[in-house]
Amino acid sequence: QVRLVESGGGLVQAGGSLGLSCAASGRTVSSYGMGWFRQAPGQEREFVTAISRSGGIIYYRDSVKGRFTISRDNGKNTVYLQMNSLKPEDTAVYYCAATTPYRGDAYVDAYEYRYWGQGTQVTVSS
């Protein structure tokens, strides 16, 4: 089993920055594809970004391109999401997700991910 724990959420003004971390435990996730999703109140969970096991393939949703950066440190079993130029519409609970062993590509669909964190709240005030 893989346990994912997100941290780094909080309240920030529009235009500000936040950095999220997702620490994995239980198994090494170096062979897993990893992703970040978010869910705003009353809305469905949506894809934000994903990274392949090597970090060589990365996808972003259009609305965060140029503002968000995903990265991973396989030695620390951790994935990061740096969020800059934040907007009120970025307000949501952000979830980290992991696929399964040796499914190491970057995936944009939530059904591709088996393991999920509990989420961390990001609130951007205008």
Side-chain angles (χ1 to χ4, degrees), residues 65-113:
K65 286 179 181 178
R67 300 188 298 120
F68 289 13
T69 302
I70 189 172
S71 61
R72 66 189 299 164
D73 185 335
N74 288 335
K76 294 183 178 179
N77 229 22
T78 300
V79 177
Y80 305 96
L81 179 62
Q82 179 63 38
M83 304 183 294
N84 299 327
S85 302
L86 282 161
K87 304 175 181 180
E89 51 264 43
D90 294 318
T91 295
V93 177
Y94 283 71
Y95 297 91
C96 175
T99 57
T100 53
Y102 307 109
R103 298 199 72 230
D105 286 336
Y107 301 92
V108 302
D109 294 309
Y111 68 80
E112 300 279 6
Y113 295 86

Short mmCIF file of all heavy atoms in Angstrom, two decimals, residues 65-113:
data_model
loop_
_atom_site.label_atom_id
_atom_site.label_comp_id
_atom_site.label_asym_id
_atom_site.label_seq_id
_atom_site.Cartn_x
_atom_site.Cartn_y
_atom_site.Cartn_z
N LYS A 65 -0.83 26.50 -17.06
CA LYS A 65 0.43 26.52 -17.79
C LYS A 65 1.13 27.86 -17.61
O LYS A 65 0.51 28.91 -17.70
CB LYS A 65 0.18 26.26 -19.28
CG LYS A 65 -0.14 24.82 -19.61
CD LYS A 65 -0.39 24.63 -21.10
CE LYS A 65 -0.72 23.19 -21.43
NZ LYS A 65 -1.03 23.00 -22.87
N GLY A 66 2.43 27.79 -17.36
CA GLY A 66 3.21 29.00 -17.15
C GLY A 66 3.16 29.53 -15.73
O GLY A 66 3.93 30.43 -15.39
N ARG A 67 2.25 28.98 -14.91
CA ARG A 67 2.14 29.43 -13.51
C ARG A 67 2.50 28.33 -12.52
O ARG A 67 3.06 28.61 -11.46
CB ARG A 67 0.72 29.92 -13.24
CG ARG A 67 0.27 31.07 -14.11
CD ARG A 67 -1.08 31.63 -13.65
NE ARG A 67 -2.16 30.66 -13.73
CZ ARG A 67 -2.88 30.26 -12.69
NH1 ARG A 67 -2.65 30.74 -11.49
NH2 ARG A 67 -3.87 29.37 -12.86
N PHE A 68 2.15 27.09 -12.85
CA PHE A 68 2.39 25.96 -11.95
C PHE A 68 3.54 25.12 -12.49
O PHE A 68 3.71 24.99 -13.71
CB PHE A 68 1.16 25.07 -11.85
CG PHE A 68 0.00 25.67 -11.09
CD1 PHE A 68 -0.05 27.02 -10.75
CD2 PHE A 68 -1.05 24.86 -10.69
CE1 PHE A 68 -1.12 27.55 -10.06
CE2 PHE A 68 -2.13 25.38 -9.98
CZ PHE A 68 -2.16 26.73 -9.68
N THR A 69 4.30 24.53 -11.57
CA THR A 69 5.38 23.63 -11.95
C THR A 69 5.36 22.40 -11.07
O THR A 69 5.39 22.51 -9.84
CB THR A 69 6.74 24.33 -11.80
OG1 THR A 69 6.77 25.52 -12.59
CG2 THR A 69 7.86 23.40 -12.24
N ILE A 70 5.30 21.23 -11.71
CA ILE A 70 5.37 19.97 -10.99
C ILE A 70 6.79 19.44 -11.08
O ILE A 70 7.48 19.61 -12.09
CB ILE A 70 4.37 18.94 -11.56
CG1 ILE A 70 4.29 17.70 -10.65
CG2 ILE A 70 4.70 18.57 -12.99
CD1 ILE A 70 3.19 16.72 -11.05
N SER A 71 7.23 18.80 -10.00
CA SER A 71 8.54 18.17 -10.00
C SER A 71 8.50 17.00 -9.04
O SER A 71 7.55 16.86 -8.25
CB SER A 71 9.63 19.17 -9.60
OG SER A 71 9.41 19.66 -8.30
N ARG A 72 9.51 16.17 -9.09
CA ARG A 72 9.57 15.03 -8.18
C ARG A 72 11.01 14.76 -7.79
O ARG A 72 11.94 15.01 -8.57
CB ARG A 72 8.93 13.80 -8.79
CG ARG A 72 9.63 13.23 -10.01
CD ARG A 72 8.80 12.13 -10.70
NE ARG A 72 8.55 11.01 -9.80
CZ ARG A 72 7.61 10.09 -10.02
NH1 ARG A 72 6.85 10.16 -11.09
NH2 ARG A 72 7.45 9.09 -9.17
N ASP A 73 11.16 14.24 -6.59
CA ASP A 73 12.46 13.79 -6.09
C ASP A 73 12.27 12.34 -5.68
O ASP A 73 11.77 12.06 -4.59
CB ASP A 73 12.88 14.66 -4.90
CG ASP A 73 14.28 14.33 -4.41
OD1 ASP A 73 14.74 13.19 -4.61
OD2 ASP A 73 14.90 15.21 -3.80
N ASN A 74 12.68 11.43 -6.55
CA ASN A 74 12.46 10.01 -6.28
C ASN A 74 13.28 9.53 -5.08
O ASN A 74 12.88 8.59 -4.39
CB ASN A 74 12.76 9.19 -7.52
CG ASN A 74 11.71 9.37 -8.61
OD1 ASN A 74 10.56 9.70 -8.33
ND2 ASN A 74 12.10 9.16 -9.86
N GLY A 75 14.39 10.16 -4.83
CA GLY A 75 15.19 9.80 -3.67
C GLY A 75 14.49 10.11 -2.36
O GLY A 75 14.68 9.43 -1.35
N LYS A 76 13.62 11.13 -2.39
CA LYS A 76 12.86 11.52 -1.19
C LYS A 76 11.43 11.01 -1.24
O LYS A 76 10.64 11.29 -0.32
CB LYS A 76 12.86 13.04 -1.04
CG LYS A 76 14.23 13.63 -0.75
CD LYS A 76 14.15 15.14 -0.54
CE LYS A 76 15.53 15.71 -0.20
NZ LYS A 76 15.48 17.19 -0.01
N ASN A 77 11.09 10.29 -2.32
CA ASN A 77 9.73 9.76 -2.46
C ASN A 77 8.69 10.87 -2.35
O ASN A 77 7.63 10.71 -1.72
CB ASN A 77 9.46 8.69 -1.38
CG ASN A 77 8.87 7.42 -1.96
OD1 ASN A 77 9.00 7.13 -3.14
ND2 ASN A 77 8.20 6.67 -1.12
N THR A 78 8.97 11.99 -2.98
CA THR A 78 8.14 13.19 -2.83
C THR A 78 7.91 13.85 -4.18
O THR A 78 8.81 13.89 -5.03
CB THR A 78 8.80 14.18 -1.87
OG1 THR A 78 8.98 13.56 -0.58
CG2 THR A 78 7.94 15.43 -1.68
N VAL A 79 6.69 14.38 -4.33
CA VAL A 79 6.33 15.15 -5.51
C VAL A 79 5.95 16.55 -5.04
O VAL A 79 5.38 16.73 -3.97
CB VAL A 79 5.15 14.50 -6.25
CG1 VAL A 79 4.71 15.35 -7.44
CG2 VAL A 79 5.53 13.12 -6.74
N TYR A 80 6.27 17.53 -5.87
CA TYR A 80 6.04 18.92 -5.50
C TYR A 80 5.16 19.62 -6.53
O TYR A 80 5.14 19.25 -7.71
CB TYR A 80 7.38 19.66 -5.41
CG TYR A 80 8.37 19.02 -4.48
CD1 TYR A 80 9.34 18.15 -4.97
CD2 TYR A 80 8.34 19.27 -3.12
CE1 TYR A 80 10.26 17.55 -4.13
CE2 TYR A 80 9.26 18.67 -2.26
CZ TYR A 80 10.21 17.81 -2.78
OH TYR A 80 11.11 17.22 -1.94
N LEU A 81 4.47 20.64 -6.08
CA LEU A 81 3.72 21.51 -6.98
C LEU A 81 3.97 22.94 -6.55
O LEU A 81 3.54 23.37 -5.48
CB LEU A 81 2.22 21.19 -6.93
CG LEU A 81 1.35 22.07 -7.83
CD1 LEU A 81 1.73 21.88 -9.30
CD2 LEU A 81 -0.14 21.75 -7.63
N GLN A 82 4.71 23.67 -7.37
CA GLN A 82 4.95 25.08 -7.12
C GLN A 82 3.91 25.88 -7.88
O GLN A 82 3.79 25.73 -9.10
CB GLN A 82 6.35 25.48 -7.56
CG GLN A 82 6.67 26.95 -7.36
CD GLN A 82 6.63 27.36 -5.89
OE1 GLN A 82 7.04 26.61 -5.02
NE2 GLN A 82 6.13 28.57 -5.64
N MET A 83 3.19 26.72 -7.17
CA MET A 83 2.11 27.50 -7.77
C MET A 83 2.42 28.98 -7.63
O MET A 83 2.53 29.49 -6.51
CB MET A 83 0.78 27.16 -7.08
CG MET A 83 0.45 25.68 -7.10
SD MET A 83 -1.15 25.31 -6.35
CE MET A 83 -0.83 25.75 -4.66
N ASN A 84 2.56 29.65 -8.75
CA ASN A 84 2.84 31.08 -8.78
C ASN A 84 1.70 31.83 -9.45
O ASN A 84 0.86 31.24 -10.12
CB ASN A 84 4.14 31.35 -9.54
CG ASN A 84 5.34 30.68 -8.90
OD1 ASN A 84 5.42 30.54 -7.68
ND2 ASN A 84 6.30 30.27 -9.72
N SER A 85 1.67 33.13 -9.24
CA SER A 85 0.64 33.99 -9.85
C SER A 85 -0.75 33.42 -9.61
O SER A 85 -1.56 33.31 -10.54
CB SER A 85 0.91 34.15 -11.35
OG SER A 85 2.18 34.69 -11.57
N LEU A 86 -1.01 33.06 -8.39
CA LEU A 86 -2.27 32.40 -8.06
C LEU A 86 -3.46 33.33 -8.27
O LEU A 86 -3.37 34.56 -8.08
CB LEU A 86 -2.24 31.90 -6.62
CG LEU A 86 -1.43 30.62 -6.42
CD1 LEU A 86 -1.05 30.42 -4.98
CD2 LEU A 86 -2.23 29.41 -6.94
N LYS A 87 -4.56 32.72 -8.66
CA LYS A 87 -5.81 33.43 -8.95
C LYS A 87 -6.92 32.88 -8.05
O LYS A 87 -6.85 31.72 -7.62
CB LYS A 87 -6.20 33.22 -10.41
CG LYS A 87 -5.13 33.64 -11.41
CD LYS A 87 -5.57 33.30 -12.83
CE LYS A 87 -4.49 33.70 -13.84
NZ LYS A 87 -4.90 33.38 -15.23
N PRO A 88 -7.94 33.68 -7.79
CA PRO A 88 -9.04 33.17 -6.96
C PRO A 88 -9.64 31.88 -7.50
O PRO A 88 -10.08 31.02 -6.72
CB PRO A 88 -10.05 34.31 -7.01
CG PRO A 88 -9.21 35.54 -7.18
CD PRO A 88 -8.09 35.11 -8.08
N GLU A 89 -9.65 31.71 -8.81
CA GLU A 89 -10.21 30.49 -9.39
C GLU A 89 -9.34 29.26 -9.16
O GLU A 89 -9.74 28.14 -9.50
CB GLU A 89 -10.48 30.66 -10.89
CG GLU A 89 -9.31 31.19 -11.70
CD GLU A 89 -9.37 32.70 -11.89
OE1 GLU A 89 -9.71 33.42 -10.92
OE2 GLU A 89 -9.07 33.15 -13.03
N ASP A 90 -8.16 29.44 -8.59
CA ASP A 90 -7.33 28.30 -8.21
C ASP A 90 -7.73 27.74 -6.85
O ASP A 90 -7.20 26.72 -6.41
CB ASP A 90 -5.85 28.70 -8.16
CG ASP A 90 -5.30 29.07 -9.52
OD1 ASP A 90 -5.61 28.37 -10.51
OD2 ASP A 90 -4.53 30.06 -9.60
N THR A 91 -8.64 28.41 -6.17
CA THR A 91 -9.09 27.95 -4.86
C THR A 91 -9.74 26.58 -4.96
O THR A 91 -10.67 26.38 -5.75
CB THR A 91 -10.09 28.95 -4.26
OG1 THR A 91 -9.41 30.19 -4.01
CG2 THR A 91 -10.69 28.43 -2.96
N ALA A 92 -9.26 25.64 -4.18
CA ALA A 92 -9.74 24.26 -4.23
C ALA A 92 -9.00 23.43 -3.19
O ALA A 92 -8.00 23.89 -2.61
CB ALA A 92 -9.54 23.66 -5.62
N VAL A 93 -9.47 22.22 -3.01
CA VAL A 93 -8.68 21.21 -2.29
C VAL A 93 -7.81 20.52 -3.33
O VAL A 93 -8.32 20.05 -4.35
CB VAL A 93 -9.58 20.20 -1.56
CG1 VAL A 93 -8.72 19.12 -0.89
CG2 VAL A 93 -10.46 20.90 -0.53
N TYR A 94 -6.53 20.46 -3.07
CA TYR A 94 -5.58 19.86 -4.00
C TYR A 94 -5.20 18.47 -3.51
O TYR A 94 -4.83 18.28 -2.34
CB TYR A 94 -4.34 20.73 -4.12
CG TYR A 94 -4.58 21.94 -5.01
CD1 TYR A 94 -5.39 22.98 -4.58
CD2 TYR A 94 -4.03 22.02 -6.27
CE1 TYR A 94 -5.64 24.08 -5.40
CE2 TYR A 94 -4.25 23.11 -7.09
CZ TYR A 94 -5.07 24.13 -6.65
OH TYR A 94 -5.32 25.20 -7.47
N TYR A 95 -5.29 17.51 -4.43
CA TYR A 95 -5.01 16.11 -4.12
C TYR A 95 -3.82 15.62 -4.91
O TYR A 95 -3.72 15.86 -6.12
CB TYR A 95 -6.21 15.24 -4.46
CG TYR A 95 -7.46 15.53 -3.67
CD1 TYR A 95 -8.38 16.46 -4.15
CD2 TYR A 95 -7.72 14.91 -2.46
CE1 TYR A 95 -9.54 16.74 -3.44
CE2 TYR A 95 -8.87 15.17 -1.74
CZ TYR A 95 -9.77 16.09 -2.24
OH TYR A 95 -10.91 16.37 -1.53
N CYS A 96 -2.98 14.87 -4.25
CA CYS A 96 -1.88 14.16 -4.88
C CYS A 96 -2.35 12.75 -5.20
O CYS A 96 -3.14 12.16 -4.44
CB CYS A 96 -0.69 14.13 -3.93
SG CYS A 96 0.72 13.18 -4.47
N ALA A 97 -1.87 12.19 -6.30
CA ALA A 97 -2.28 10.86 -6.70
C ALA A 97 -1.11 10.08 -7.31
O ALA A 97 -0.22 10.68 -7.93
CB ALA A 97 -3.43 10.94 -7.70
N ALA A 98 -1.16 8.77 -7.13
CA ALA A 98 -0.13 7.89 -7.67
C ALA A 98 -0.79 6.75 -8.43
O ALA A 98 -1.86 6.28 -8.03
CB ALA A 98 0.75 7.35 -6.55
N THR A 99 -0.13 6.29 -9.49
CA THR A 99 -0.69 5.20 -10.28
C THR A 99 -0.39 3.87 -9.58
O THR A 99 -0.76 3.68 -8.44
CB THR A 99 -0.13 5.23 -11.70
OG1 THR A 99 1.30 5.15 -11.66
CG2 THR A 99 -0.53 6.52 -12.42
N THR A 100 0.23 2.97 -10.29
CA THR A 100 0.62 1.67 -9.76
C THR A 100 2.04 1.38 -10.22
O THR A 100 2.53 2.05 -11.13
CB THR A 100 -0.34 0.57 -10.23
OG1 THR A 100 -0.43 0.62 -11.66
CG2 THR A 100 -1.72 0.74 -9.63
N PRO A 101 2.70 0.38 -9.66
CA PRO A 101 4.09 0.12 -10.04
C PRO A 101 4.25 -0.11 -11.53
O PRO A 101 3.45 -0.82 -12.15
CB PRO A 101 4.42 -1.14 -9.26
CG PRO A 101 3.53 -1.11 -8.08
CD PRO A 101 2.26 -0.48 -8.56
N TYR A 102 5.21 0.56 -12.10
CA TYR A 102 5.60 0.41 -13.49
C TYR A 102 4.60 0.97 -14.47
O TYR A 102 4.74 0.77 -15.68
CB TYR A 102 5.94 -1.06 -13.80
CG TYR A 102 6.96 -1.58 -12.81
CD1 TYR A 102 6.63 -2.50 -11.84
CD2 TYR A 102 8.26 -1.08 -12.83
CE1 TYR A 102 7.55 -2.93 -10.91
CE2 TYR A 102 9.19 -1.51 -11.90
CZ TYR A 102 8.84 -2.43 -10.95
OH TYR A 102 9.76 -2.85 -10.03
N ARG A 103 3.58 1.64 -13.98
CA ARG A 103 2.75 2.48 -14.85
C ARG A 103 3.28 3.88 -14.69
O ARG A 103 2.73 4.70 -13.96
CB ARG A 103 1.27 2.38 -14.48
CG ARG A 103 0.71 0.99 -14.64
CD ARG A 103 -0.79 0.99 -14.73
NE ARG A 103 -1.23 1.53 -16.01
CZ ARG A 103 -2.13 2.47 -16.14
NH1 ARG A 103 -2.71 3.00 -15.09
NH2 ARG A 103 -2.49 2.92 -17.31
N GLY A 104 4.40 4.13 -15.35
CA GLY A 104 5.18 5.31 -15.04
C GLY A 104 4.99 6.49 -15.96
O GLY A 104 5.77 7.47 -15.87
N ASP A 105 4.00 6.44 -16.84
CA ASP A 105 3.76 7.60 -17.69
C ASP A 105 3.03 8.69 -16.90
O ASP A 105 2.67 8.51 -15.75
CB ASP A 105 2.92 7.21 -18.90
CG ASP A 105 3.73 6.42 -19.92
OD1 ASP A 105 4.97 6.57 -19.92
OD2 ASP A 105 3.14 5.65 -20.70
N ALA A 106 2.82 9.82 -17.56
CA ALA A 106 2.01 10.91 -16.99
C ALA A 106 0.59 10.76 -17.49
O ALA A 106 0.38 10.65 -18.70
CB ALA A 106 2.58 12.26 -17.39
N TYR A 107 -0.38 10.73 -16.60
CA TYR A 107 -1.77 10.47 -16.97
C TYR A 107 -2.65 11.64 -16.55
O TYR A 107 -2.49 12.19 -15.46
CB TYR A 107 -2.27 9.20 -16.29
CG TYR A 107 -1.46 7.97 -16.63
CD1 TYR A 107 -0.39 7.59 -15.84
CD2 TYR A 107 -1.75 7.21 -17.75
CE1 TYR A 107 0.37 6.48 -16.14
CE2 TYR A 107 -1.00 6.09 -18.07
CZ TYR A 107 0.06 5.73 -17.26
OH TYR A 107 0.81 4.64 -17.58
N VAL A 108 -3.62 11.97 -17.40
CA VAL A 108 -4.49 13.12 -17.12
C VAL A 108 -5.84 12.69 -16.56
O VAL A 108 -6.58 13.53 -16.05
CB VAL A 108 -4.69 13.99 -18.36
CG1 VAL A 108 -3.35 14.49 -18.89
CG2 VAL A 108 -5.45 13.24 -19.45
N ASP A 109 -6.17 11.40 -16.64
CA ASP A 109 -7.47 10.93 -16.18
C ASP A 109 -7.37 10.37 -14.77
O ASP A 109 -6.48 9.57 -14.47
CB ASP A 109 -8.01 9.85 -17.12
CG ASP A 109 -8.33 10.42 -18.49
OD1 ASP A 109 -9.03 11.43 -18.56
OD2 ASP A 109 -7.85 9.84 -19.48
N ALA A 110 -8.33 10.75 -13.93
CA ALA A 110 -8.31 10.33 -12.54
C ALA A 110 -8.38 8.82 -12.39
O ALA A 110 -7.80 8.26 -11.45
CB ALA A 110 -9.45 10.99 -11.78
N TYR A 111 -9.04 8.12 -13.30
CA TYR A 111 -9.19 6.68 -13.15
C TYR A 111 -7.87 5.93 -13.30
O TYR A 111 -7.76 4.76 -12.97
CB TYR A 111 -10.24 6.13 -14.11
CG TYR A 111 -9.86 6.17 -15.57
CD1 TYR A 111 -9.01 5.19 -16.12
CD2 TYR A 111 -10.34 7.16 -16.43
CE1 TYR A 111 -8.66 5.21 -17.45
CE2 TYR A 111 -9.99 7.19 -17.77
CZ TYR A 111 -9.15 6.21 -18.28
OH TYR A 111 -8.79 6.24 -19.60
N GLU A 112 -6.86 6.61 -13.83
CA GLU A 112 -5.55 5.98 -13.98
C GLU A 112 -4.81 5.86 -12.65
O GLU A 112 -3.80 5.16 -12.56
CB GLU A 112 -4.69 6.80 -14.95
CG GLU A 112 -5.26 6.94 -16.35
CD GLU A 112 -5.00 5.72 -17.21
OE1 GLU A 112 -4.49 4.71 -16.70
OE2 GLU A 112 -5.33 5.80 -18.42
N TYR A 113 -5.27 6.57 -11.64
CA TYR A 113 -4.57 6.64 -10.37
C TYR A 113 -5.25 5.76 -9.33
O TYR A 113 -6.46 5.79 -9.15
CB TYR A 113 -4.52 8.10 -9.88
CG TYR A 113 -3.69 8.97 -10.79
CD1 TYR A 113 -4.26 9.56 -11.91
CD2 TYR A 113 -2.34 9.18 -10.55
CE1 TYR A 113 -3.50 10.34 -12.78
CE2 TYR A 113 -1.57 9.97 -11.41
CZ TYR A 113 -2.17 10.54 -12.51
OH TYR A 113 -1.40 11.31 -13.37
#
